[in-house]
Amino acid sequence: MTDTHGASHLSTVQLQTLRQDLQEQLERRSRHLLGLQDEARQSTGADDTWQELLVSLTTADRAIAELTQALDRLDTGGYGRCGHCEAGIPFERLKIRPLARYCIGCQRRFEAA
């Protein structure tokens, strides 16, 4: 598991585990979005829950986009690399936060700014 630029620092098993987690999350979120869309079609839009439904639809759609982008990065070899410094993001961090785009150091700098 080298950590040189362009080479994966994650093992094949780690990548497969992360891919499976991302795909499961994508399937779950997609089913949730379909349910929300069905609810929106049946709603009259006249009650107080309409605004909450729109927020839920937007949130679900954004989550699906993020998961799809992560899977695309996995396919192209960019997954697991910091979007700022390109250092390898540790498997332990990705296991907890599979959508992590930055290493801990860069994430802390962005949050402090």
Side-chain angles (χ1 to χ4, degrees):
M1 287 190 293
T2 61
D3 196 15
T4 58
H5 180 69
S8 179
H9 65 288
L10 300 168
S11 73
T12 303
V13 172
Q14 289 172 327
L15 288 170
Q16 185 57 37
T17 298
L18 292 165
R19 178 184 302 280
Q20 183 175 350
D21 288 348
L22 289 167
Q23 288 172 332
E24 287 172 2
Q25 286 186 44
L26 180 59
E27 289 170 13
R28 196 169 38 253
R29 295 288 187 148
S30 294
R31 284 191 305 272
H32 183 242
L33 180 60
L34 288 173
L36 290 170
Q37 289 169 336
D38 186 47
E39 187 178 334
R41 279 190 294 276
Q42 295 176 17
S43 177
T44 62
D47 57 6
D48 293 338
T49 60
W50 181 250
Q51 190 69 26
E52 291 176 30
L53 181 57
L54 291 178
V55 170
S56 295
L57 281 163
T58 302
T59 302
D61 193 48
R62 185 175 300 134
I64 288 170
E66 289 176 5
L67 288 162
T68 301
Q69 290 169 2
L71 286 165
D72 289 345
R73 287 193 310 277
L74 223 163
D75 289 339
T76 61
Y79 182 81
R81 293 240 165 246
C82 179
H84 181 70
C85 71
E86 296 186 10
I89 300 172
F91 175 72
E92 294 77 19
R93 175 165 168 73
L94 292 169
K95 186 69 178 145
I96 294 168
R97 297 188 56 91
L99 296 177
R101 298 283 314 257
Y102 302 106
C103 67
I104 293 287
C106 289
Q107 184 69 43
R108 286 185 179 147
R109 280 191 290 280
F110 293 141
E111 289 174 358

